[in-house]
Amino acid sequence: MTDVGKKVWLVLISSLLFGSSLSLIVTKFFIEKFNINFLSLDMPGVSEKLAYDKTFDLLDFGFAGILSLIFFFVNYYAARFLSKDNENIFAALLLFIFSITTFFQTHFLIFASSQVLVMVFVFQLVYFGILRFGEDFNLNKISEELRTNNGKLRFKNGIFLGFIFLLLTNLLTTIPALSLAFLVITPLLAISITTKRIQKFLENFPGILLILAILFPTNTPRLIGLLILLVISGILILKFKPGILLKNWYVNFLNPALIIFLVAFNPSFNVGNFDSVEEGFWLAWVQRLINGEVLYRDANVYHSPLIPWGMYLFSKLNGFTIHSERLFLHLLQVSGFIIYFFFARKVIKNTAFAILSLFVFMAITSSAVRNNIEIRIGLPLLSMLFLFTYFQIRKYRILIMAGVVGVLSFLLSIEGGLVAILVLILSLNFFSESKINSKEKLKENIYLFSGILGSSLVFVGYLLATNSLPPFIDQTSFYAKAFSMGYFNTPIDRSVTHAYFHFDVFDEYLDSVTIFWEITKLTFYGFLIFGIYKFFSRKKFTTENSMILTTAFFGLVLTRAALGRSDWYHLLFVSCIALLLIFYTLSKLFETKKLLALALTLFIVFVVARPSINNAYLNTLLFKYETYGKVIGEYKAYYFDRGAGALIGSEIDTQPMFEMIEYVQLNSSANEKIFVFPWNPEVYFYADRGNATKIDTPYAFFSEEYQDEMISDLQNNKPKFVIYNEGMNFGNLSTGTVRKVNEYIRSNFKTEKTFGPFQVMTPNY
């Protein structure tokens, strides 16, 4: 098929979509204007609705064909008479995007006919204008431009401009599909414009500052004011400091990072039911810090301290509320996405496949569960990213940064950090170009270990100074050991077997966690075998080999921790590492077998990952941009001070929690203690009350020794209230899991008040 043929096909498909879209408007107009009815209401079973619907069906069928024919010949002959370049399909591609936009707006969204007609009219004018004046708009030139910093900057500024146009379109029209079209079309136009003055302006336009629009996405005057201010800034930069924005760090690092931020940031981060299992303990530990207590010494904590410390400092600036907690965790999530992309770009090389790996990563991890998987993967990858950078540019100070970030990974997630540090040491000594017994190898290790030991000593020094080192070791090792011995474990799902092959069973398999785990397992072992083969065949490891095998080894070792849980969210940790290896393989295959690589890529993205991508992520992403900054639907709120800013699903009864918190605050002083059992650690934060024991999460410290400790603390500290929620069971855990404490509470406390599932109990003594 020639390029001219491609253009004809694009025009034809676009015409069919336009015809199908506008026939809905024309048909409705004719029926209502001329009162057309093809059916007889005198016939048995024919209602007015049936008569209207069938008349609509018949007219719609006819008008769709007529309008498609008109659109095709108008656009085809316009292309022949207005365009001087019959091989340029850029205008036809834009027309295709316009037609898809119109089709989606008329077939899947409520629309105003007049606005759709105006939209189609504008689309056609743009198409004719590009045919007449845009002969230099060429896909081949676009591809070439995207390889230069100038082209990249124009394209990325087009993305930021598309975002602001999307927000303004959402506010000024009722055509959601049009706003999404602006987001797609604006970057294409920005990279395609050949007018030198506009090119120079776009290359000096500080588009990244348009990201400030997320602070006021529904305020039209501010959005327009921001756009005008930045246009003026761009003109001034062009006049006085032209080219200042073409720096490599700005184009290739800051711009991509902020574009990922723009895609990943969800203005509705504060919306959703509160998850006590995933969010509650963070708030309890923040409350400990508010009270001036030291984690591990004064409170039993089973996680590394970096997140509670960071959340406390962030909330101190932003206010101690659920809103602050959720914003902090969401910013960590977005940071994890950014790190993942730069790591993927370093390892995979092909930017398109790196973006695809990020897309799948975002889809399979973006859920209502706030378990920080993105940053817990991100920091270990960042430490390895520094190591890989050292492999390429051989600057020793980068090894110090690798070691420091490795320790920060440990302070964020013990398993991920330990594996990252181990991999850094082994990879440096095995894959570095320096000989194993050379002075250079010794120097490399000194720099790496100075980063690891230096930052570790700071943390250990803090633990020693606060008498927290022994409890830190005891508490974190107890929790890790408990998981390795079966606590809170679930088996991995397996495929269902039958006597005969059933395709529906196989289809279910493609939708399940099972295939993800199977692909993950085989991917790691495949790269392990490749590494062993390369080693014994005495073939030299290239820097690219070193990076990808280090990544595979990291994922393989981390698998032990994931298998200790085996639920979907913990298996994701290693599956997300396997994604990098899979897309690396596809990118290498693409170099020689393009069609096969594309077919396998589509299989991974839209078959294997379809439950996350098709059924969840794409829907959420589109809805986010269509309603950016608006709260759609009915939600409830917590009316105590620290519940501010959180919107809870309307199906949740928030009143019992509010009434219970209010009762506790009114009937106890700030210095009096409470105890929450068996699990609702957020109550300490909500009520702004201290814990009479050292344990905020009894289920996590279930051993008899820890139960005896809780009972001893209750006896010595005499809490004013015990908040008892017998129905708070999860993961096969119940009050029977901490039987001794449950029996003590039942024997020594009586119910004073009941608020929904919460019993407020007071001492018998």
Side-chain angles (χ1 to χ4, degrees), residues 340-396:
Y340 191 91
F341 169 73
F342 284 114
F343 186 89
R345 195 173 69 174
K346 174 73 74 173
V347 171
I348 296 174
K349 299 287 191 293
N350 186 309
T351 303
F353 282 94
I355 291 172
L356 278 173
S357 70
L358 173 66
F359 172 69
V360 178
F361 176 56
M362 294 173 72
I364 64 177
T365 60
S366 296
S367 67
V369 176
R370 296 172 170 86
N371 66 350
N372 323 117
I373 181 175
E374 298 84 3
I375 193 64
R376 289 164 73 182
I377 290 174
L379 268 190
L381 293 184
L382 182 60
S383 69
M384 292 190 289
L385 185 58
F386 279 116
L387 178 67
F388 298 164
T389 304
Y390 170 75
F391 285 162
Q392 292 176 326
I393 65 175
R394 315 291 295 179
K395 291 186 177 179
Y396 292 114

Side-chain angles (χ1 to χ4, degrees), residues 435-726:
K435 294 181 180 179
I436 193 68
N437 57 352
S438 65
K439 289 183 179 179
E440 186 180 358
K441 179 68 71 178
L442 177 63
K443 194 173 182 180
E444 288 175 341
N445 279 277
I446 289 173
Y447 273 89
L448 177 63
F449 276 94
S450 66
I452 294 172
L453 296 177
S455 47
S456 298
L457 286 174
V458 173
F459 177 58
V460 172
Y462 164 80
L463 293 177
L464 289 171
T466 56
N467 298 316
S468 304
L469 182 58
F472 169 77
I473 296 171
D474 290 342
Q475 292 159 27
T476 54
S477 61
F478 168 80
Y479 192 66
K481 183 180 178 181
F483 269 111
S484 67
M485 299 296 290
Y487 169 75
F488 217 180
N489 274 215
T490 56
I492 295 175
D493 294 336
R494 301 288 177 186
S495 55
V496 180
T497 57
H498 295 275
Y500 301 99
F501 180 78
H502 296 268
F503 189 81
D504 60 320
V505 174
F506 177 68
D507 190 54
E508 290 178 7
Y509 174 73
L510 294 177
D511 274 345
S512 68
V513 178
T514 312
I515 190 171
F516 257 95
W517 173 243
E518 198 68 28
I519 291 174
T520 297
K521 178 177 64 177
L522 297 179
T523 299
F524 287 143
Y525 282 130
F527 276 89
L528 177 65
I529 293 169
F530 167 73
I532 294 172
Y533 160 76
K534 189 112 178 176
F535 177 77
F536 283 106
S537 61
R538 299 185 180 278
K539 293 182 179 180
K540 183 180 179 181
F541 287 98
T542 64
T543 301
E544 184 176 307
N545 295 154
S546 303
M547 293 191 294
I548 202 65
L549 290 173
T550 299
T551 306
F553 184 65
F554 172 75
L556 191 62
V557 178
L558 192 62
T559 300
R560 175 61 190 97
L563 285 173
R565 278 79 161 176
S566 299
D567 59 274
W568 166 242
Y569 296 105
H570 286 93
L571 289 178
L572 272 182
F573 279 79
V574 289
S575 293
C576 292
I577 304 302
L579 272 178
L580 294 164
L581 307 177
I582 291 167
F583 280 98
Y584 165 81
T585 304
L586 291 171
S587 71
K588 300 304 290 182
L589 181 62
F590 185 76
E591 294 174 3
T592 55
K593 304 286 185 181
K594 286 183 169 53
L595 287 178
L596 178 60
L598 289 174
L600 291 173
T601 301
L602 291 173
F603 176 77
I604 293 293
V605 174
F606 293 112
V607 177
V608 176
R610 67 179 175 179
S612 298
I613 293 176
N614 298 11
N615 302 340
Y617 181 65
L618 285 178
N619 185 54
T620 303
L621 187 67
L622 292 172
F623 184 76
K624 177 182 79 172
Y625 284 121
E626 290 174 281
T627 63
Y628 205 94
K630 301 174 185 176
V631 177
I632 308 297
E634 294 183 6
Y635 295 94
K636 294 179 180 177
Y638 286 131
Y639 295 105
F640 43 84
D641 291 343
R642 289 187 171 177
L647 296 178
I648 311 299
S650 58
E651 73 279 5
I652 301 298
D653 186 2
T654 59
Q655 197 64 21
M657 177 69 82
F658 167 67
E659 291 176 350
M660 182 268 289
I661 295 298
E662 185 179 47
Y663 180 84
V664 169
Q665 290 179 327
L666 290 174
N667 293 279
S668 65
S669 67
N671 294 324
E672 289 181 301
K673 307 287 187 180
I674 64 173
F675 182 60
V676 183
F677 184 85
W679 189 290
N680 280 108
E682 66 275 11
V683 169
Y684 300 110
F685 178 81
Y686 292 167
D688 193 14
R689 294 295 183 267
N691 187 344
T693 76
K694 296 173 68 174
I695 296 175
D696 301 316
T697 53
Y699 281 157
F701 295 97
F702 54 84
S703 71
E704 293 210 359
E705 180 184 348
Y706 282 123
Q707 289 190 64
D708 290 337
E709 184 181 318
M710 279 185 271
I711 293 171
S712 176
D713 286 343
L714 290 171
Q715 291 171 337
N716 295 330
N717 297 328
K718 297 180 172 52
K720 180 68 181 285
F721 297 118
V722 168
I723 312 301
Y724 189 86
N725 183 0
E726 189 173 14

Side-chain angles (χ1 to χ4, degrees), residues 165-180:
F165 293 154
L166 174 142
L167 296 180
L168 289 171
T169 306
N170 282 344
L171 294 171
L172 299 175
T173 75
T174 57
I175 313 178
L178 179 60
S179 61
L180 295 173

Side-chain angles (χ1 to χ4, degrees), residues 155-406:
F155 182 77
K156 290 165 184 174
N157 276 334
I159 293 175
F160 291 117
L161 284 167
F163 174 65
I164 201 85
F165 293 154
L166 174 142
L167 296 180
L168 289 171
T169 306
N170 282 344
L171 294 171
L172 299 175
T173 75
T174 57
I175 313 178
L178 179 60
S179 61
L180 295 173
F182 273 125
L183 195 59
V184 175
I185 293 167
T186 309
L188 290 176
L189 292 175
I191 188 65
S192 307
I193 288 172
T194 55
T195 305
K196 292 298 182 184
R197 287 186 179 181
I198 299 178
Q199 280 188 346
K200 291 297 181 184
F201 170 75
L202 287 173
E203 290 164 10
N204 290 276
F205 178 68
I208 60 169
L209 295 178
L210 286 173
I211 205 167
L212 295 172
I214 66 172
L215 302 175
F216 38 82
T218 58
N219 190 316
T220 305
R222 287 188 179 183
L223 291 175
I224 294 174
L226 176 64
L227 183 59
I228 292 172
L229 180 63
L230 293 184
V231 168
I232 295 171
S233 301
I235 294 170
L236 293 175
I237 292 172
L238 179 60
K239 184 173 179 61
F240 298 106
K241 286 284 186 179
I244 194 173
L245 300 181
L246 288 169
K247 305 293 185 184
N248 189 59
W249 65 269
Y250 182 87
V251 176
N252 293 313
F253 291 95
L254 186 59
N255 265 271
L258 290 179
I259 288 171
I260 295 168
F261 182 91
L262 197 63
V263 173
F265 182 78
N266 186 354
S268 301
F269 66 86
N270 61 320
V271 176
N273 298 338
F274 188 87
D275 188 341
S276 181
V277 178
E278 294 292 346
E279 296 181 84
F281 57 85
W282 297 124
L283 294 180
W285 297 338
V286 167
Q287 183 62 34
R288 294 281 189 173
L289 296 171
I290 293 171
N291 294 339
E293 298 177 63
V294 176
L295 301 184
Y296 308 107
R297 184 192 70 190
D298 303 322
N300 284 30
V301 176
Y302 52 85
H303 267 291
S304 296
L306 203 57
I307 288 181
W309 285 349
M311 189 180 293
Y312 168 73
L313 294 173
F314 183 82
S315 299
K316 200 167 185 178
L317 296 172
N318 200 50
F320 290 105
T321 61
I322 300 175
H323 183 276
S324 292
E325 171 256 335
R326 288 188 166 178
L327 177 57
F328 178 73
L329 292 180
H330 187 46
L331 292 176
L332 288 182
Q333 179 186 41
V334 175
S335 300
F337 290 141
I338 293 171
I339 295 170
Y340 191 91
F341 169 73
F342 284 114
F343 186 89
R345 195 173 69 174
K346 174 73 74 173
V347 171
I348 296 174
K349 299 287 191 293
N350 186 309
T351 303
F353 282 94
I355 291 172
L356 278 173
S357 70
L358 173 66
F359 172 69
V360 178
F361 176 56
M362 294 173 72
I364 64 177
T365 60
S366 296
S367 67
V369 176
R370 296 172 170 86
N371 66 350
N372 323 117
I373 181 175
E374 298 84 3
I375 193 64
R376 289 164 73 182
I377 290 174
L379 268 190
L381 293 184
L382 182 60
S383 69
M384 292 190 289
L385 185 58
F386 279 116
L387 178 67
F388 298 164
T389 304
Y390 170 75
F391 285 162
Q392 292 176 326
I393 65 175
R394 315 291 295 179
K395 291 186 177 179
Y396 292 114
R397 65 176 181 272
I398 296 175
L399 290 175
I400 298 176
M401 290 302 302
V404 170
V405 177

